[in-house]
Amino acid sequence: MTAPTDAERRPVAHLPLPAGGADAAALIPVRRFHLAGEPGALAPLPDGAVPAVLADVARAPAPPTDYPVLVDGQGQVHGLDEALAAAAAGMPALLVDNLPRLAQQIRARSGELDERAAAPAVGEAADRLVAQLALKPGPQGELVNALEHLIKALPEGAHLVGLAPDVDLRLLWRTTHAALGARREALVARWTPLAHGLRQRLEVDRHKREGRSAQAVQAANAGGARFFDAGALAQAMGTHRGTEALSDGEREALSQALATLQAPVEAPRLVVVHGGDCQAPWLAGTEAVQVVAAKDPFAEAEALWGAQAAEFARRYQAARYAALVLEDRYEADKHGPWLDAFDAQAFDDDELAALPAVVVVTSDKALARALAPASKALRGHAPVRILCRVTPTADADGPTLDHSHLELGYLGMSHRQALVQQTTVGRAAHLQAALARADAAHRPSLTLVGVAHTIDGSPPPLGAWLHASAGIEGRAHPLFTYDPAAGTHWARRLSCEGNPAPDAHWPTHTVALGTDRLEDWAFTFADQAVLERAYAAHLRVVPEACAAHPDLMPIAEWLAATEDDRAHRVPTVWVMSPQGGLLRAAVSRPLALAAQDRLDFWHTLQELVGVDNAHVQAAIDRTRDDLQAAHAAELAALQAAHAAEVARVERETAQEALGRLAAALTGGAAFNLSAGASAPAPAKTPEAIAETLPAPAADPEPTAAPESAPEPPADPWIESILCTSCNDCINLNGQLFVYNGSKQAMIGDPEAGTFAELVRAAEACPSKCIHPGAPMNPNEPNLDDLIARAAKFN
Amino acid sequence: MFGLKRDWTVTLPERYFTFEDYEGGEARWCPGCGDHAILTAVQRICRDEQLPPEQVVSVSGIGCSSRFPHYMGTYGFHGLHGRALPVAAGVKARRPELKVWVATGDGDCCSIGAGHWIHAIRYNMDMTVMLFDNAIYGLTKKQTSPTSPKGLSTNTHPRGAWLPPLNPTQATLGFTNVSFVAQTVDWNPVHLHATLKKAYEHKGLSFVRILQRCPTYTDKVFDDLQSDPRKILVLEHERGVPVDPALDRVFPTRQAHDPSDMGAARALAARDDVFAIGLLFQDESCPRYEDFTRRGLDMSVDDKLAGLDAALDRFAL
Ligand SMILES: Cc1ncc(C[n+]2csc(CCOP(=O)(O)OP(=O)(O)O)c2C)c(N)n1
Ligand code: SF4
Ligand SMILES: [Mg+2]
């Protein structure tokens, strides 16, 4: 791949040229700050300062956000723009052109939105859009109409979900509620024939025991009873013919199984367990949700799941029993003990999937304090799901930076058999996919969700969504999925999809400095720290007098440098002040080392997925060397063969020429000038041979499509782009011919005119773009003549 | 970057314009007149570019074609015969931000307005000039125009026009500081639209000669071009008018032409065996007069009065 040219590099931020001198004396306090943390007289970053690569984003009229997202009835997340575009597919350009404005209208009101049914919300935004555009009556009607269609085309049961602090729980509820509803319905459908069969068995048995009363026979033959004597028939049917009646025990077992299968499934679909810190009052009142606060939520979750499993085991056991009985395969000695011991271990996947989702909702801080019980849950059999909210920039102990970061995800992976994922509210679709994966896993899981708030709870300077996004960008919270079910190799189990610049240390962004200087700047953990007031003490503005001093080094370079190179250097980040000035900020040593720590973890993940991995590199080198050696040997062999062949040809040609010369001189065979043509052709060169060696399978000859006779055109049509808007056809019949949105003619109502009018219009049309097709009305006069005239326009 | 999907830094314009926003009065040209196609093409470009109608001015002289401003739902100036270009230059001189479309006929531009034509080309102010060339004075009912072909019978030359026609493209290519010259025909809306769009995008005066059919008075003048597609030579170049594949069938004859080559452009304009359509010449480096006339636009009224006073004071006794 060639590096992009300057024209292709699109700057994401436009900044003034960095100014500053290289005064060594001015650098002394900067060095002191970096090494000893003494701020001295150095200014802190101004309030509202942002990382310089985000300058243009900061200047935008509203903070960027990917919310609200549209969640369909199945709990699937769709981006708002994508969902609107999908619903508007094939609709008029007037609507399609205005989708961004519609989305803007929706977003403008989504600040305070938790969630809302999509249709009314989009409907209100559509009304505001129509009012905003104030189109002329014609197009306005068309737009209103199209908007109505768009709303009808939204996915069924769709909701708009905003970036509320509990968006993870809202997505969790929507995902599990829909999925469990469907799964339980499927189970009940599986049980219905079993229950029916059991009922029949019991009925037959009842008849056998009670005999056929005359009333019963009569009742059973309602209409037909007047043709025969029910009493006599009842007598004749007797009571003890055929199979034996059920024993009391069997009857009892069947009745119990029937009752179990018929009892409505009232178990909750979602059980949320928390340690007393889950702020989602709406959950408690939500249908089929149980909220439990517990001192040890992990053990409680296991217990709750166990209780639910026992309850469901009764039903599953009844179903198994019913199936055996109905197939006449039930043997008490053989199946009895197995059924008595029936528990969750014996559930099949569909059965497991119908159990309530038991989710522990916790935070990074709480989880760090409860590692032992959480670890136990992650090693257990109960598929308890831990949903842990993580503040990406903070450590579990707060913003101290004096310990390395506790990587809960890495710790989670050490449980080997648990599903572990790191996701973020900044990527709603990724988050929902993670929740769905945990739902389908049937094993304990740990889902770490990066949240959108700052460490100290102050409003994120560029909005919540961007704050969460920056967590991924600065490698504070890389996305990953560790799925033990995906295979036996790390390469299969671990995926880091969704991270920016997956092969690099840090993502880089092109910035424009002044009018024509383009540079690529990395976004690191230290840049991300600019967005956190809690780290204010770790960043200081470098005085202008030394801002261009060579001992200042962008932190990405500093981190990549050797210890020696770092020794006298101070790492820096670029920052934009609220006034639009470009400032250089020195980074404290603890913050620089925290960036190193985050980079190290990112590198660990990269290695585990095979990026920048020493083993992989060694294998690549080895394979390349082997291939090169094999190639060189083959080439040498070919060259030797070629040389031998050339020598042979030369020898034979010379002998032949000599022979001919001798013959000519001695008056033998006539000397033929064209005889050279009979000389053996020289052998192919090694290059030519090499070319023929790996001869790729030639593409099959393209076969010509069979010429099919052109279908006779039936409907009239107009090649609208060729219409010159001359009015000729419209004047002839303004209903048959109408103008489209670009004032170019098209067929309006094909039934509003005659074939004769179509033919006359085609003849009059200066750009010959009207094709009359075939007549619709076979009784129109002069049809033969008209069809002949129409032929040359079809 | 950061998962930003759109360019968040761009503010969507509040308003949206439909084709109807650029429609004025109902066009009263004869049915089948080529002027309809040109009007539609301009309205489409305005709509596609989402130009606020109040930022658009169409300016014309006198003639059938010069009725153009009445049919545009924008600002317009229906000027005096031959004076479209000086009016347009006046608009540009003090309101350089406005988008100016000039509609002028072969009589309006090349006859009575010829003097203005030369200077407007030299001024090179940023506007799109459309020469509606129907080879006749249409409005005054069939009088010989400078572009009428020799032998055409008109009310002023009932036995046929006497002189060979003036070639407006060739002439324009000879004017000093010319920066954009293109040709097209009204009966191919695809090429017409593409040419006018290219002209609209040009920074400077773009001069587009459009062969325009007048079914009422010069019904036959373009017959040979229309009946024999080989007579239309489509110019192709990566910097030229984009050639839509839809044209392959209609205009099969092609020629590569580099629009920076003035010599080749003049030779193409002079050919009478074929009519070249597309971009003949473009040079965006030509100076534009509005860069001079806009000076002082940012001065406040008070500053201007003070300046005037100071100038007048010099004459005080
Ligand atoms: C000063 C002046 N002289 C003469 C006329 C009469 N006149 C009106 S339109 C016209 C010619 C228009 O021809 P053209 O510019 O080719 O426009 P077309 O009608 O063909 O579109 C003339 C001579 C006039 N209106 N004003
Ligand atoms: S007279 Fe000719 S140019 Fe004028 S409107 Fe009619 S057709 Fe068009
Ligand atoms: Mg004319």
Side-chain angles (χ1 to χ4, degrees), chain A residues 240-614:
Chain A
H240 290 288
R241 303 256 170 85
T243 51
E244 288 285 304
L246 299 170
S247 72
D248 284 352
E250 282 171 331
R251 196 176 324 109
E252 175 61 27
L254 282 191
S255 311
Q256 225 173 49
L258 178 61
T260 308
L261 288 182
Q262 279 179 326
V265 184
E266 271 157 3
R269 295 185 189 179
L270 174 62
V271 180
V272 171
V273 193
H274 63 96
D277 54 353
C278 177
Q279 310 290 338
W282 61 273
L283 255 185
T286 304
E287 181 198 347
V289 177
Q290 185 188 348
V291 182
V292 180
K295 212 161 165 307
D296 177 354
F298 305 98
E300 179 69 18
E302 279 195 290
L304 281 167
W305 190 85
Q308 290 290 347
E311 173 58 27
F312 274 75
R314 278 193 329 106
R315 288 172 192 273
Y316 298 159
Q317 178 200 40
R320 299 279 156 83
Y321 172 65
L324 288 169
V325 169
L326 293 175
E327 290 164 16
D328 286 329
R329 292 198 295 120
Y330 181 73
E331 292 169 38
D333 300 345
K334 190 166 135 200
H335 296 118
W338 172 64
L339 283 176
D340 288 344
F342 195 85
D343 67 3
Q345 302 285 332
F347 293 1
D348 68 24
D349 276 357
D350 291 346
E351 287 171 337
L352 272 174
L355 262 67
V358 179
V359 182
V360 177
V361 177
T362 183
S363 68
D364 46 358
K365 280 202 180 77
L367 188 60
R369 282 195 301 268
L371 286 178
S375 166
K376 197 168 167 210
L378 288 176
R379 285 177 286 121
H381 293 303
V384 164
R385 310 177 201 171
I386 303 175
L387 183 71
C388 176
R389 288 146 170 200
V390 175
T391 309
T393 33
D395 201 26
D397 313 319
T400 56
L401 296 183
D402 51 8
H403 289 68
S404 63
H405 187 236
L406 173 60
E407 294 297 349
L408 290 166
Y410 202 29
L411 206 59
M413 282 192 265
S414 73
H415 293 84
R416 302 187 310 282
Q417 291 311 316
L419 168 72
V420 182
Q421 351 185 47
Q422 200 147 280
T423 179
T424 166
V425 297
R427 298 286 178 278
H430 192 274
L431 168 58
Q432 194 269 340
L435 296 172
R437 207 175 292 116
D439 182 50
H442 308 322
R443 58 173 73 229
S445 60
L446 172 63
T447 304
L448 298 154
V449 183
V451 298
H453 45 254
T454 55
I455 299 174
D456 61 0
S458 56
L462 294 173
W465 179 80
L466 192 101
H467 202 75
S469 243
I472 315 168
E473 203 80 8
R475 310 286 193 217
H477 187 76
L479 305 176
F480 71 80
T481 305
Y482 169 79
D483 183 358
T488 45
H489 308 294
W490 275 96
R492 289 190 171 279
R493 292 176 161 218
L494 186 68
S495 151
C496 286
E497 244 166 67
N499 290 293
D503 299 338
H505 283 183
W506 307 104
T508 53
H509 304 292
T510 304
V511 297
L513 298 169
T515 46
D516 51 10
R517 205 164 111 198
L518 292 183
E519 283 187 13
D520 290 327
W521 285 2
F523 187 84
T524 69
F525 180 72
D527 294 87
Q528 197 191 340
V530 173
L531 295 169
E532 290 285 1
R533 277 212 318 225
Y535 290 131
H538 292 279
L539 294 158
R540 279 291 178 274
V541 177
V542 173
E544 207 175 304
C546 63
H549 197 283
D551 279 358
L552 297 177
M553 209 178 204
I555 182 145
E557 282 174 37
W558 188 88
L559 291 170
T562 61
E563 276 297 332
D564 279 355
D565 279 349
R566 280 183 190 185
H568 304 288
R569 302 285 174 80
V570 177
T572 62
V573 292
W574 290 104
V575 171
M576 191 191 75
S577 75
Q579 290 72 38
L582 183 61
L583 301 176
R584 199 160 193 184
V587 177
S588 76
R589 197 158 179 84
L591 180 55
L593 295 180
Q596 176 77 66
D597 183 38
R598 302 301 181 114
L599 181 60
D600 286 348
F601 178 56
W602 167 244
H603 191 228
T604 302
L605 287 177
Q606 282 183 314
E607 277 192 294
L608 290 174
V609 293
V611 175
D612 200 3
N613 175 309

Side-chain angles (χ1 to χ4, degrees), chain A residues 10 12 53-54 56-57 60-66 79 81-82 93-94 97-98 100-101 104 107 132-133 135-136 138-139 427 465-466 469-470 473 509 523 719 721-728 731 741-744 766-767, chain B residues 1-23 26-27 29-34 36-40 43-44 47-48 50 73 186-190 213 226 244 246-247 249-250:
Chain A
R10 221 169 61 88
V12 297
V53 298
L54 289 167
D56 285 7
V57 177
T65 176
D66 211 16
D81 302 280
E82 292 76 15
L94 176 59
D97 285 354
N98 280 299
R101 287 187 185 81
Q104 200 176 49
R107 282 201 183 90
Q132 173 200 330
L133 295 181
L135 299 176
K136 299 212 164 152
R427 298 286 178 278
W465 179 80
L466 192 101
S469 243
E473 203 80 8
H509 304 292
F523 187 84
E719 216 167 335
I721 55 162
L722 294 179
C723 164
T724 63
S725 325
C726 74
N727 296 338
D728 275 357
N731 288 342
S742 294
K743 202 175 173 201
Q744 292 186 298
S767 35
Chain B
M1 156 181 173
F2 291 83
L4 297 171
K5 277 193 205 130
R6 283 161 300 279
D7 196 345
W8 297 98
T9 50
V10 168
T11 324
L12 273 179
E14 275 278 299
R15 295 154 72 200
Y16 177 79
F17 306 103
T18 62
F19 193 89
E20 286 77 354
D21 289 308
Y22 305 97
E23 283 186 328
E26 195 189 330
W29 291 305
C30 308
C33 173
H36 292 286
I38 304 170
L39 174 66
T40 304
Q43 288 167 330
R44 271 177 63 198
R47 192 261 324 259
D48 294 347
Q50 288 290 302
D186 82 59
W187 59 89
N188 190 291
V190 178
R213 292 154 312 149
Q226 283 189 275
D244 191 288
L247 296 182
R249 189 170 43 88
V250 214

